[in-house]
Amino acid sequence: MHVFSSTEQKLPSSSFDEYRSKGLTVHLDGDVLEAWSNFARADVLVMARSSFSHVPAFFNDKCVVYQPYWHLPLSHWVSSTANEKEPLDPEQLQKLRDCLARIHASVH
């Protein structure tokens, strides 16, 4: 799993150590096109509530998990307001399972 973010020259890189401690690869302050390329090709793209991740999500034909904000999702995206206390609703959970099954089938 990869995390892309920016320190905006205000945060220390250590602010992302929790992600690293969980085995995630952290990319900070990198090339925008590299991030977008990864977002567009990801097997599962978990979007932030931002135009930055929304734009390359349009090009991702695999699984996109969308967190609601002012830009609307495409119909095949999984819309998630899930958190630790409230998991995905059954319809969105099935949508995610179907999407992951398609990826798994295409690999095998």
Side-chain angles (χ1 to χ4, degrees):
M1 291 179 69
H2 295 262
V3 174
F4 290 83
S5 191
S6 170
T7 63
E8 298 178 354
Q9 300 177 343
K10 298 176 186 172
L11 297 171
S13 174
S14 61
S15 298
F16 297 85
D17 284 349
E18 187 171 345
Y19 295 110
R20 293 182 185 100
S21 73
K22 295 180 187 303
L24 282 73
T25 302
V26 176
H27 305 267
L28 298 174
D29 305 316
D31 182 311
V32 170
L33 294 179
E34 178 186 351
W36 279 7
S37 174
N38 278 275
F39 293 1
R41 294 179 297 128
D43 287 334
V44 179
L45 170 60
V46 179
M47 294 174 54
R49 292 179 174 111
S50 73
S51 297
F52 184 81
S53 60
H54 204 109
V55 170
F58 285 125
F59 298 98
N60 186 306
D61 61 353
K62 297 177 184 169
C63 297
V64 175
V65 179
Y66 165 86
Q67 299 178 61
Y69 76 119
W70 57 87
H71 292 305
L72 299 176
L74 295 182
S75 62
H76 64 280
W77 293 355
V78 177
S79 187
S80 173
T81 56
N83 57 48
E84 292 175 11
K85 295 179 184 175
E86 296 180 35
L88 282 173
D89 69 57
E91 179 183 338
Q92 294 301 315
L93 183 57
Q94 187 59 51
K95 203 172 190 180
L96 181 59
R97 284 183 178 138
D98 293 346
C99 187
L100 294 174
R102 283 193 310 273
I103 291 171
H104 181 72
S106 71
V107 172
H108 291 93

